């Protein structure tokens, strides 16, 4: 089941409310066990086609129910006003011919997530709150934020999945961003791109390969894939759920009871 409520992010949007979501496993209310947590971006796109921006969600709750995966998913909808999603999901300021100047406020978002949202989730649901059982997952700009979160907030997250991460935001400085990160040696990352995405927004195969290599050089345990026929949309990302869940499960579910 998915519980829905409203939250505020004062540092970003003041008292304006947005929806938060918590997926709970089918056996959550029939046991006392505690669960690992996936923190995810773009919560409105994860569970319901009716709420998804383009009318197609990841169908994540259906997959987790079908596979009986023992995990909690905690997510918040993005700011859908103008370019605010880009702003909240970017660690740096950037300029784009399509979007103009975008002020990066990704640090403010992550500070809120780890200092306010995560404590709320841990305080109100039966989680395994330690780093070993906490992951972060996102696609597109959320994928970029996943890499950033693992680099700068690694004491909270042991693993993550970055689907179609928006590497173009950093341009030639992406490798520099990764090399300056503080990754624990046990950090696990799944990342991918659809084969039909290359060339979109200036993304090149070389940029993806360079980012993966830089992460490996930092000691990150990387699984990198090029998805045959994959595109930049929720339907394509939905098909990658089994792949990234398999990678994250190696460690995330250890010690869960």
């Amino acid at each position: 089941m998915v519980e829905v409520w409203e939250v505020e992010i004062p540092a970003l949007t003041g008292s304006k409310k947005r929806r938060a979501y918590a997926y709970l496993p089918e056996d959550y209310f029939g046991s006392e066990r505690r669960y690992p947590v996936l923190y995810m971006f773009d919560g409105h796109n994860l569970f319901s086609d009716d709420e998804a921006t383009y009318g197609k969600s990841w169908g994540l709750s259906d997959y987790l129910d079908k596979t009986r995966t023992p995990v909690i998913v905690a997510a918040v909808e993005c700011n859908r006003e103008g370019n605010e999603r880009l702003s909240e999901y970017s660690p740096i300021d950037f300029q784009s011919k399509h979007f103009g100047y975008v002020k990066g406020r990704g640090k403010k978002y992550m500070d809120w997530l780890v200092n306010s949202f995560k404590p709320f989730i841990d305080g109100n649901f039966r989680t395994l709150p330690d780093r070993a059982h906490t992951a972060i997952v996102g696609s597109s700009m959320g994928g970029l934020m996943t890499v950033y979160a693992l680099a700068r907030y690694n004491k909270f997250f042991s693993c993550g999945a970055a689907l179609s991460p928006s590497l173009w935001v950093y341009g030639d400085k992406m490798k520099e961003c990764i090399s300056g990160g503080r990754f624990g040696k046990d950090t696990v990352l799944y990342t991918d791109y659809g084969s039909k995405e290359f060339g979109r927004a200036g993304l090149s195969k070389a940029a993806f390969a360079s980012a993966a290599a830089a992460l490996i050089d930092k000691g990150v345990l990387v699984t990198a894939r090029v998805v045959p026929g994959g595109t930049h949309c929720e339907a394509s990302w939905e098909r990658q759920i089994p792949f990234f869940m398999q990678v994250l499960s190696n460690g995330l579910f250890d010690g869960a009871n």
Side-chain angles (χ1 to χ4, degrees), residues 51-119:
E51 293 187 355
T53 301
Y54 300 107
K56 176 68 183 81
S57 73
W58 290 38
L60 184 57
S61 55
D62 294 338
Y63 172 85
L64 296 176
D65 285 345
K66 182 178 180 180
T67 57
R68 297 184 179 276
T69 305
V71 70
I72 291 172
V73 177
V76 179
E77 71 175 318
C78 74
N79 187 336
R80 307 196 209 188
E81 296 184 0
N83 290 335
E84 290 307 305
R85 176 180 179 274
L86 298 176
S87 177
E88 291 187 358
Y89 287 179
S90 177
I92 63 168
D93 301 346
F94 69 93
Q95 184 81 28
S96 165
K97 65 179 181 180
H98 298 292
F99 305 110
Y101 173 77
V102 176
K103 176 69 175 178
R105 298 190 293 169
K107 182 180 185 301
K108 288 186 177 181
Y109 185 91
M110 285 305 306
D111 285 346
W112 172 81
L113 191 149
V114 299
N115 293 319
S116 296
F117 189 55
K118 185 179 186 302

Side-chain angles (χ1 to χ4, degrees), residues 32-37 70 126-134 158 248-257:
E32 294 300 319
R33 72 181 297 180
R34 291 184 173 273
Y35 299 85
V37 183
R126 293 197 313 278
T127 70
L128 291 165
D130 59 300
R131 173 182 177 274
H133 297 100
T134 306
S158 64
L248 299 188
S249 67
N250 296 326
L252 190 65
F253 298 127
D254 290 351
N257 51 52

Side-chain angles (χ1 to χ4, degrees), residues 70-227:
V71 70
I72 291 172
V73 177
V76 179
E77 71 175 318
C78 74
N79 187 336
R80 307 196 209 188
E81 296 184 0
N83 290 335
E84 290 307 305
R85 176 180 179 274
L86 298 176
S87 177
E88 291 187 358
Y89 287 179
S90 177
I92 63 168
D93 301 346
F94 69 93
Q95 184 81 28
S96 165
K97 65 179 181 180
H98 298 292
F99 305 110
Y101 173 77
V102 176
K103 176 69 175 178
R105 298 190 293 169
K107 182 180 185 301
K108 288 186 177 181
Y109 185 91
M110 285 305 306
D111 285 346
W112 172 81
L113 191 149
V114 299
N115 293 319
S116 296
F117 189 55
K118 185 179 186 302
F120 176 86
I121 296 297
D122 290 335
N124 287 274
F125 300 98
R126 293 197 313 278
T127 70
L128 291 165
D130 59 300
R131 173 182 177 274
H133 297 100
T134 306
I136 190 157
V137 177
S139 62
S140 191
M141 292 297 291
L144 180 68
M145 286 288 284
T146 292
V147 177
Y148 171 69
L150 289 179
R152 302 299 171 87
Y153 297 81
N154 201 272
K155 69 178 182 179
F156 298 100
F157 308 103
S158 64
C159 55
L163 285 67
S164 305
S166 297
L167 302 177
W168 59 269
V169 168
Y170 271 93
D172 295 336
K173 296 183 178 181
M174 190 67 227
K175 188 174 181 179
E176 179 182 326
C177 167
I178 293 171
S179 65
R182 297 180 179 179
F183 299 91
K185 294 301 182 183
D186 60 344
T187 302
V188 172
L189 175 68
Y190 168 95
T191 187
D192 68 20
Y193 264 97
S195 63
K196 294 184 177 181
E197 291 187 80
F198 293 116
R200 179 186 181 277
L203 177 73
S204 68
K205 296 176 182 178
F208 182 46
S210 176
L215 288 161
I216 292 170
D217 285 344
K218 291 292 290 186
V220 179
L221 305 175
V222 178
T223 296
R225 296 174 61 236
V226 175
V227 179

